[in-house]
Amino acid sequence: MEEVGFLGLGIMGKAMAMNLLRHGFKVTVWNRTLSRCDELVEHGASVAKTPAAVVKKCKYTIAMLSDPSAALSVVFDKDGVLEEICSGKGYIDMSTVDADTSSKISEAITSKGGSFLEAPVSGSKKPAEDGQLVILAAGEKALYEEAIPAFDVMGKKSFFLGQVGNGAKMKLVVNMIMGSMLNAFSEGLVLADRSGLNPQTLLDVLDLGGIANPMFRMKGPTMIQNSYSPAFPLKHQQKDMRLALALGDENAVSMPVAAAANEAFKKARSMGLGDLDFSAVFEAVKGPEKSS
Amino acid sequence: MEEVGFLGLGIMGKAMAMNLLRHGFKVTVWNRTLSRCDELVEHGASVAKTPAAVVKKCKYTIAMLSDPSAALSVVFDKDGVLEEICSGKGYIDMSTVDADTSSKISEAITSKGGSFLEAPVSGSKKPAEDGQLVILAAGEKALYEEAIPAFDVMGKKSFFLGQVGNGAKMKLVVNMIMGSMLNAFSEGLVLADRSGLNPQTLLDVLDLGGIANPMFRMKGPTMIQNSYSPAFPLKHQQKDMRLALALGDENAVSMPVAAAANEAFKKARSMGLGDLDFSAVFEAVKGPEKSS
Amino acid sequence: MEEVGFLGLGIMGKAMAMNLLRHGFKVTVWNRTLSRCDELVEHGASVAKTPAAVVKKCKYTIAMLSDPSAALSVVFDKDGVLEEICSGKGYIDMSTVDADTSSKISEAITSKGGSFLEAPVSGSKKPAEDGQLVILAAGEKALYEEAIPAFDVMGKKSFFLGQVGNGAKMKLVVNMIMGSMLNAFSEGLVLADRSGLNPQTLLDVLDLGGIANPMFRMKGPTMIQNSYSPAFPLKHQQKDMRLALALGDENAVSMPVAAAANEAFKKARSMGLGDLDFSAVFEAVKGPEKSS
Amino acid sequence: MEEVGFLGLGIMGKAMAMNLLRHGFKVTVWNRTLSRCDELVEHGASVAKTPAAVVKKCKYTIAMLSDPSAALSVVFDKDGVLEEICSGKGYIDMSTVDADTSSKISEAITSKGGSFLEAPVSGSKKPAEDGQLVILAAGEKALYEEAIPAFDVMGKKSFFLGQVGNGAKMKLVVNMIMGSMLNAFSEGLVLADRSGLNPQTLLDVLDLGGIANPMFRMKGPTMIQNSYSPAFPLKHQQKDMRLALALGDENAVSMPVAAAANEAFKKARSMGLGDLDFSAVFEAVKGPEKSS
């Protein structure tokens, strides 16, 4: 894999494609708004006018779209991936989509003879720029192995998780744990504050102990300032909690802590906080102020 | 503070007193079983025959006892601390005790004119040996400041938290967050397993992301082997959850995630797992196997 | 409404149709297994060979099918209701189906000019035989009013709840409260038992107080005998909890008690109890016995 | 038992003593404010000037005091019960007190040779007047049997529950179930409202079904008017939830639904609703209104 197509040059996609270029890959890019291709071209990328044109030109095509509908659109619409995908070509969708969307794309690609890999990532803008993403791949094992050189420059680690859908499931499990932890953290901050302890000191103590982690370190200081600029919107976190609980429902897994955390995120949504950062669940944990 | 008394040479106390000796403090030790003093004497410590004798000799005395009853005993019993404590002397209790015990000791010491500091620690054997404890001090501010040189060689960081009781409260808040996190982690491991994902892979993915932390890294591998050799017994963790929830009750703080986690620890106790490591809550989360 | 068609003569439908006959309605019945019509014929019913034939003959047709697929089948399949429904005719589906199924049937009926009412019932075999059902109707108001004479003989009370879907929603809300109550009851029984109180005495005390209700009275004695012959299967109760929580999710309603109850029902499912009565959640609350 | 002493003529005690008089018992009454005895005297009661004088005169003495401190006071203070209790005399405390208070009184009475029964009641003013209380007795079985004629005129039913403390425990279990039910009911009302259903209709539907109960019937209409005149203050209900959960903790009983309900009551307390009726937990379930 020395030459790859790349569909989608949003914040994430642009950084990922740039890393491919920097490490000597020949990259043919496409983006709905073509002007976003310019910077990549300056660094040596070629441009194609449609997803189909990218796939026609390249043996391997990577996609990094913003949501399920965009991911479906570049495949199924006119001039889409399906028009040119065929035996011998691989399609790697690194967008974060639900398992159903992923399966739909997988079936369409493979029915045309192409091979398919879903490969959602863990990590946001900075890790994307630094080539430090964690890649959760699932689908065609042979394609995964061919893609390793590309994954190695975009991420610090990639995993092959088996059948299509497992990448999405792994993200749900991780995000569920994350959401419960953020609730536990919020409860601790409120308890400290109302018990006469300094929340900032709690942050300092936590950061020196066995449960110190980057999320507490990053979110804590802004939470105690009631500042929730959205890195990951609360409504998306709540959606992931819901989907993780639904996955548990399918498999008869009882998860009372995650369920309690989910209800707190729903409470936050009912307070109109869905578009803020997911750490705004802290406001729901604090609850309304006692009227004087 | 160049010369200190040290009461209690259990696993923790011995390591802490040794660090004081290594860094040039003159240390007079006492232990109920006097033979445990020998190793310290080889490294330059003096020995006194009773807690009272230690306090008589030293301006500052540190205690590191195993539990509340031992902490009360060295102070109130015959030949105890109270017999010699007086104005101009300081007593620093680094044992982990409840707020009531701490208050009782504090009142007795100060009523004799002595000054008092509670200073429970976060960290176990290894950090104690390495001088890497986290020290949660509360009580007499002036004594805290005098004790800093000693804290600096026993710990990597010390905090002054205000009035007596705040050290114990801070430990409860931290342990409550820890207990909820361990439940979230357990639920994630069960969900992964029952959804067809490899739990070991989940551990690897978690360790590369924003919620990576030493506890997941240390407990995860033993949990998926169902191995729960007790580092921190489950019944003690559940007791701390209960006390943290009681602290929340006093202050009208609603903590549904901690409450759900507490019920899971209780379930584990009802399964007879109270003496195993607190990570054995994983067994309660997994639940009984489906009968065939 | 003096003449009605009746589709579906299962346990419920047969009892309901019989009540119509007893009170002087002319009833034309159909059932997939036609022999089940015999008893009704003895009491004066006419028989038609297909759902379409029933609708052709009758101005009003009532359906009481076992599940959503049966409810869809009698409408959409060959010789189904759609072939003959038209302006001036009414179709009343009293089956318990989800809101989507109900909407699908509603749209098909009304697009042909027919009028539609969903009217799920609360109550099982005995109330059906005794004409003591509670009827939760929604859809076409005029049709509801025309159907009142029939509802009056099948039920003790009918409600008109507005637009199609509201009948199903009302059932979910009621069943959610019921499921949480059954958990609270189970927890109380376990707590009584483990605290040295006689569970039977708890039943007696409860039955004399402000929270006495028919469900506790009926389920309590069998629960303390660990007997769970299925009146309402646990897996269906858990499904209703899930759907009620999903309805809450849509509307940002935080319901931590229902969520905790749902996780207990899931735990029961994971123990292989899904086909037993929903009161078998008691087994999940009791948890595994402590190993000796 | 034809002649009894009666200590405490509050709302409950007065009604209970009156029932004894009406049914032919000879009653000697005492109350801290003696003027409250007048009405009883008009109906034939004798008056004594101290609790000790009552006990001296009567073989059996019943107490109905307002709280634990009053219950302790009539026994232990000067001129109290202890001064005259002796072998051959019985003391029946029907006040609602905690298990510790009850044990303390029990030990004092029995150490003097007297026999003791705790007998808290379920039911408030109206049932007391109507002789419809439910009596939860525990302690000396022989005394219970002698007291049955009195219990029969004060209550509709009495239970003998074994050792002292069991009466208090039984009340906790009942109140715990009640508190969880009220939460389930509140969640259902909010879900109905936000899903476009009429909460009043939900009340009507519930009242016709298998979970119909006097509490829903009585509290529902006031809750949907946001009216919470205190019949049973929320802070007392929350205290009973806490004590019931503590009882579960002692016995390793996991009760996640009660725990979730308790957190909702705590949330209500943090909103300043502790002195309102316990049905005000509805406000905590509704949560803050979404800001526009």
Side-chain angles (χ1 to χ4, degrees):
Chain A
M1 186 185 274
E2 290 170 10
E3 181 157 9
V4 295
F6 205 104
L7 310 179
L9 300 173
I11 291 170
M12 295 294 289
K14 193 173 171 180
M16 291 156 73
M18 195 68 88
N19 272 322
L20 290 168
L21 286 167
R22 271 196 208 110
H23 288 83
F25 285 79
K26 291 183 183 172
V27 186
T28 301
V29 299
W30 169 88
N31 192 63
R32 191 162 302 272
T33 308
L34 278 174
S35 61
R36 280 192 67 91
C37 299
D38 295 351
E39 195 182 335
L40 280 296
V41 169
E42 284 170 29
H43 287 77
S46 307
V47 177
K49 292 201 171 156
T50 65
V54 172
V55 173
K56 183 172 186 181
K57 185 175 173 197
C58 305
K59 187 172 181 193
Y60 304 103
T61 300
I62 294 170
M64 188 65 181
L65 289 318
S66 59
D67 58 31
S69 76
L72 290 165
S73 177
V74 301
V75 172
F76 291 95
D77 283 2
K78 186 173 176 323
D79 298 325
V81 170
L82 273 196
E83 294 184 3
E84 293 292 341
I85 198 81
C86 60
S87 176
K89 287 183 185 283
Y91 185 68
I92 302 167
D93 193 344
M94 300 184 75
S95 320
T96 290
V97 300
D98 56 286
D100 279 355
T101 299
S102 198
S103 295
K104 207 167 161 185
I105 295 173
S106 173
E107 282 162 28
I109 298 290
T110 52
S111 73
K112 291 274 188 171
S115 60
F116 177 76
L117 206 60
E118 69 173 0
V121 302
S122 172
S124 53
K125 189 187 176 190
K126 188 73 167 47
E129 290 171 349
D130 297 347
Q132 294 291 306
L133 295 168
V134 176
I135 297 166
L136 305 173
E140 179 69 38
K141 182 74 183 285
L143 178 55
Y144 170 73
E145 276 158 10
E146 287 157 13
I148 285 178
F151 288 163
D152 280 353
V153 308
M154 294 186 288
K156 61 180 169 186
K157 177 82 178 170
S158 69
F159 294 89
F160 181 74
L161 302 171
Q163 65 191 20
V164 169
N166 283 356
K169 285 179 189 175
M170 185 61 87
K171 272 208 78 167
L172 285 183
V173 175
V174 170
N175 282 6
M176 180 189 81
I177 297 173
M178 181 171 75
S180 294
M181 274 175 64
L182 193 65
N183 266 274
F185 183 53
S186 297
E187 291 183 357
L189 283 168
V190 176
L191 180 58
D193 187 39
R194 302 238 177 112
S195 305
L197 302 172
N198 185 330
Q200 178 60 52
T201 306
L202 174 59
L203 297 185
D204 295 342
V205 171
L206 285 171
D207 202 37
L208 290 160
I211 55 175
N213 65 82
M215 179 175 73
F216 288 3
R217 201 172 300 130
M218 186 159 54
K219 299 291 179 191
T222 49
M223 285 163 75
I224 63 182
Q225 290 162 23
N226 306 327
S227 165
Y228 310 107
S229 174
F232 183 43
L234 188 140
K235 64 186 175 190
H236 293 170
Q237 171 64 35
Q238 196 265 316
K239 184 198 65 185
D240 284 356
M241 297 296 293
R242 179 202 315 148
L243 293 174
L245 284 160
L247 184 61
D249 206 306
E250 272 174 49
N251 297 288
V253 181
S254 177
M255 302 187 290
V257 167
N262 184 39
E263 296 308 311
F265 282 115
K266 280 162 65 182
K267 175 68 82 178
R269 271 179 55 213
S270 80
M271 293 166 72
L273 309 174
D275 292 319
L276 297 184
D277 189 63
F278 76 128
S279 55
V281 74
F282 186 41
E283 293 297 316
V285 175
K286 280 192 283 191
E289 290 306 305
K290 179 175 172 170
S291 54
S292 60
Chain B
M1 187 183 274
E2 291 169 10
E3 181 158 8
V4 295
F6 204 104
L7 310 178
L9 300 173
I11 291 169
M12 295 294 288
K14 192 171 171 181
M16 292 156 74
M18 197 67 89
N19 273 322
L20 289 168
L21 285 167
R22 270 195 210 112
H23 289 82
F25 285 79
K26 291 182 186 175
V27 185
T28 300
V29 299
W30 170 87
N31 192 64
R32 193 163 299 273
T33 308
L34 278 173
S35 62
R36 282 192 65 91
C37 298
D38 296 351
E39 194 182 336
L40 280 295
V41 170
E42 285 170 29
H43 287 78
S46 305
V47 178
K49 292 200 172 156
T50 64
V54 171
V55 173
K56 184 172 185 181
K57 185 174 175 197
C58 305
K59 188 173 180 191
Y60 303 102
T61 300
I62 293 169
M64 188 65 182
L65 288 320
S66 59
D67 57 33
S69 76
L72 290 165
S73 177
V74 301
V75 172
F76 291 95
D77 283 3
K78 184 170 176 332
D79 297 325
V81 169
L82 272 196
E83 294 183 5
E84 293 291 342
I85 197 83
C86 59
S87 176
K89 287 184 184 285
Y91 186 67
I92 302 166
D93 194 345
M94 302 185 73
S95 320
T96 291
V97 300
D98 56 288
D100 280 354
T101 298
S102 198
S103 294
K104 207 168 164 184
I105 294 172
S106 172
E107 281 163 27
I109 298 289
T110 53
S111 74
K112 292 273 187 174
S115 60
F116 178 75
L117 206 60
E118 68 172 1
V121 302
S122 172
S124 53
K125 188 185 177 190
K126 189 71 168 49
E129 291 172 347
D130 298 346
Q132 294 291 305
L133 296 168
V134 176
I135 297 165
L136 306 173
E140 181 66 40
K141 182 73 182 285
L143 179 54
Y144 171 71
E145 277 159 9
E146 288 156 13
I148 285 177
F151 288 163
D152 280 353
V153 309
M154 293 186 289
K156 61 181 169 185
K157 177 81 178 171
S158 69
F159 295 89
F160 181 74
L161 303 171
Q163 65 190 22
V164 169
N166 283 357
K169 285 179 189 173
M170 185 62 87
K171 272 207 77 166
L172 285 183
V173 175
V174 171
N175 281 6
M176 180 190 81
I177 297 173
M178 181 172 76
S180 294
M181 273 174 64
L182 193 64
N183 266 273
F185 183 53
S186 296
E187 291 182 358
L189 283 168
V190 176
L191 180 58
D193 187 40
R194 302 238 178 110
S195 304
L197 302 171
N198 185 331
Q200 180 59 53
T201 306
L202 173 59
L203 297 185
D204 295 341
V205 171
L206 285 171
D207 203 38
L208 291 160
I211 56 175
N213 65 82
M215 180 174 72
F216 288 2
R217 201 173 299 130
M218 187 160 52
K219 299 291 179 192
T222 50
M223 286 163 74
I224 61 183
Q225 291 162 22
N226 306 326
S227 165
Y228 309 107
S229 175
F232 183 42
L234 188 140
K235 64 186 176 191
H236 292 170
Q237 171 64 34
Q238 197 264 318
K239 184 197 65 186
D240 284 356
M241 296 297 293
R242 178 204 315 149
L243 292 173
L245 284 161
L247 184 61
D249 205 304
E250 273 174 49
N251 297 287
V253 181
S254 177
M255 302 186 290
V257 167
N262 185 39
E263 297 308 312
F265 282 115
K266 282 163 64 182
K267 175 68 83 180
R269 270 180 55 213
S270 81
M271 292 165 74
L273 309 174
D275 292 319
L276 297 185
D277 190 64
F278 76 129
S279 56
V281 74
F282 186 41
E283 293 297 316
V285 175
K286 280 192 283 189
E289 292 304 307
K290 178 175 174 170
S291 53
S292 59
Chain C
M1 186 184 273
E2 291 169 12
E3 180 158 10
V4 295
F6 205 105
L7 310 179
L9 299 173
I11 291 170
M12 295 294 288
K14 192 171 170 182
M16 292 157 74
M18 195 68 88
N19 273 322
L20 289 168
L21 286 167
R22 272 195 207 110
H23 289 83
F25 286 78
K26 292 183 185 173
V27 186
T28 301
V29 299
W30 169 88
N31 191 66
R32 192 163 300 275
T33 308
L34 278 175
S35 61
R36 281 191 66 89
C37 298
D38 296 351
E39 194 181 336
L40 279 296
V41 170
E42 285 170 27
H43 287 78
S46 306
V47 178
K49 293 203 171 153
T50 64
V54 172
V55 174
K56 183 172 187 182
K57 184 174 174 197
C58 305
K59 187 172 181 194
Y60 304 103
T61 300
I62 294 171
M64 188 64 180
L65 289 317
S66 59
D67 58 32
S69 75
L72 290 165
S73 177
V74 299
V75 173
F76 291 95
D77 283 3
K78 185 171 177 327
D79 297 324
V81 169
L82 273 195
E83 293 183 4
E84 292 293 340
I85 197 83
C86 59
S87 177
K89 287 183 184 282
Y91 186 67
I92 302 168
D93 192 345
M94 301 185 74
S95 320
T96 291
V97 299
D98 57 287
D100 279 356
T101 298
S102 197
S103 294
K104 207 167 161 183
I105 294 173
S106 172
E107 282 162 27
I109 298 290
T110 53
S111 74
K112 291 273 187 173
S115 60
F116 178 76
L117 205 59
E118 67 173 0
V121 303
S122 173
S124 52
K125 188 186 177 189
K126 188 73 169 46
E129 290 171 347
D130 298 346
Q132 294 292 306
L133 296 168
V134 176
I135 297 166
L136 306 173
E140 181 66 39
K141 183 73 183 286
L143 178 54
Y144 170 72
E145 277 158 10
E146 288 157 11
I148 285 178
F151 288 163
D152 280 352
V153 308
M154 294 186 287
K156 61 180 167 186
K157 178 82 179 170
S158 70
F159 294 90
F160 181 74
L161 303 170
Q163 65 190 20
V164 169
N166 284 357
K169 284 179 190 174
M170 185 62 86
K171 271 208 78 164
L172 286 183
V173 174
V174 170
N175 281 5
M176 180 189 80
I177 296 172
M178 180 172 75
S180 294
M181 275 175 63
L182 192 65
N183 266 273
F185 183 54
S186 297
E187 291 182 358
L189 283 168
V190 177
L191 180 58
D193 186 41
R194 302 238 177 112
S195 305
L197 302 172
N198 185 329
Q200 179 59 54
T201 306
L202 174 59
L203 297 186
D204 295 340
V205 172
L206 286 171
D207 203 37
L208 291 160
I211 55 176
N213 65 83
M215 179 176 72
F216 288 3
R217 200 173 301 131
M218 186 160 53
K219 299 291 179 190
T222 49
M223 287 163 74
I224 62 182
Q225 291 163 22
N226 306 325
S227 165
Y228 309 108
S229 174
F232 183 42
L234 189 140
K235 64 186 176 190
H236 293 170
Q237 171 63 35
Q238 196 265 317
K239 184 198 67 186
D240 283 356
M241 295 297 293
R242 179 203 314 147
L243 292 173
L245 284 161
L247 185 61
D249 206 306
E250 272 174 48
N251 296 289
V253 181
S254 177
M255 303 186 290
V257 168
N262 184 40
E263 297 306 314
F265 281 116
K266 281 162 65 181
K267 174 68 82 179
R269 270 179 55 212
S270 81
M271 291 166 74
L273 310 174
D275 291 320
L276 297 184
D277 189 63
F278 75 130
S279 56
V281 74
F282 186 41
E283 293 297 315
V285 175
K286 281 193 281 188
E289 290 305 305
K290 178 174 174 172
S291 54
S292 59
Chain D
M1 188 183 274
E2 291 169 11
E3 180 158 9
V4 295
F6 204 105
L7 310 179
L9 299 172
I11 291 170
M12 297 293 289
K14 194 171 169 180
M16 292 156 73
M18 196 68 89
N19 273 322
L20 289 167
L21 286 167
R22 271 196 209 110
H23 289 83
F25 285 78
K26 292 184 185 173
V27 186
T28 301
V29 301
W30 168 88
N31 192 65
R32 193 163 300 273
T33 308
L34 279 174
S35 61
R36 281 191 66 90
C37 298
D38 296 352
E39 195 181 336
L40 280 296
V41 170
E42 284 169 29
H43 287 78
S46 307
V47 178
K49 291 202 172 155
T50 63
V54 172
V55 173
K56 185 173 184 180
K57 185 175 173 195
C58 304
K59 187 172 180 191
Y60 304 103
T61 300
I62 293 170
M64 188 65 182
L65 289 320
S66 59
D67 57 32
S69 75
L72 290 166
S73 178
V74 301
V75 172
F76 291 96
D77 283 3
K78 185 172 176 325
D79 298 325
V81 169
L82 273 195
E83 295 183 4
E84 294 291 343
I85 198 83
C86 59
S87 177
K89 286 184 184 284
Y91 186 67
I92 302 168
D93 193 346
M94 301 184 73
S95 320
T96 290
V97 300
D98 56 288
D100 279 355
T101 298
S102 198
S103 293
K104 209 168 158 182
I105 294 172
S106 172
E107 282 163 25
I109 298 290
T110 54
S111 73
K112 292 271 188 175
S115 61
F116 178 76
L117 205 59
E118 68 173 1
V121 303
S122 173
S124 53
K125 190 187 177 189
K126 189 73 168 48
E129 291 172 349
D130 298 347
Q132 294 292 305
L133 296 169
V134 176
I135 297 166
L136 306 173
E140 181 67 39
K141 182 73 183 285
L143 179 54
Y144 170 73
E145 276 159 11
E146 288 156 12
I148 285 177
F151 289 163
D152 280 353
V153 308
M154 296 186 287
K156 62 181 167 186
K157 177 83 178 171
S158 69
F159 294 90
F160 181 74
L161 303 171
Q163 65 191 21
V164 168
N166 283 357
K169 285 179 189 174
M170 185 61 87
K171 273 206 75 166
L172 285 183
V173 175
V174 171
N175 282 5
M176 180 189 82
I177 297 173
M178 180 173 74
S180 294
M181 273 174 65
L182 192 65
N183 266 273
F185 184 53
S186 297
E187 291 181 358
L189 283 167
V190 176
L191 180 58
D193 186 42
R194 303 239 175 110
S195 305
L197 301 171
N198 186 330
Q200 180 59 53
T201 306
L202 174 59
L203 297 185
D204 295 341
V205 171
L206 286 171
D207 203 37
L208 291 160
I211 56 176
N213 64 84
M215 180 175 73
F216 288 3
R217 202 172 300 129
M218 184 160 55
K219 299 292 179 190
T222 50
M223 286 164 74
I224 63 183
Q225 289 162 24
N226 306 326
S227 166
Y228 310 107
S229 175
F232 183 42
L234 188 140
K235 64 186 176 190
H236 293 170
Q237 171 64 36
Q238 197 264 316
K239 184 198 66 185
D240 284 356
M241 297 296 293
R242 179 203 315 147
L243 293 174
L245 284 161
L247 184 62
D249 205 306
E250 271 174 48
N251 297 291
V253 181
S254 178
M255 303 186 289
V257 166
N262 184 40
E263 297 307 312
F265 281 115
K266 282 164 64 181
K267 174 69 82 180
R269 271 180 54 214
S270 81
M271 292 165 73
L273 310 174
D275 292 319
L276 297 184
D277 189 63
F278 76 129
S279 56
V281 73
F282 186 41
E283 293 297 316
V285 175
K286 279 193 281 189
E289 291 304 305
K290 178 175 173 171
S291 54
S292 60

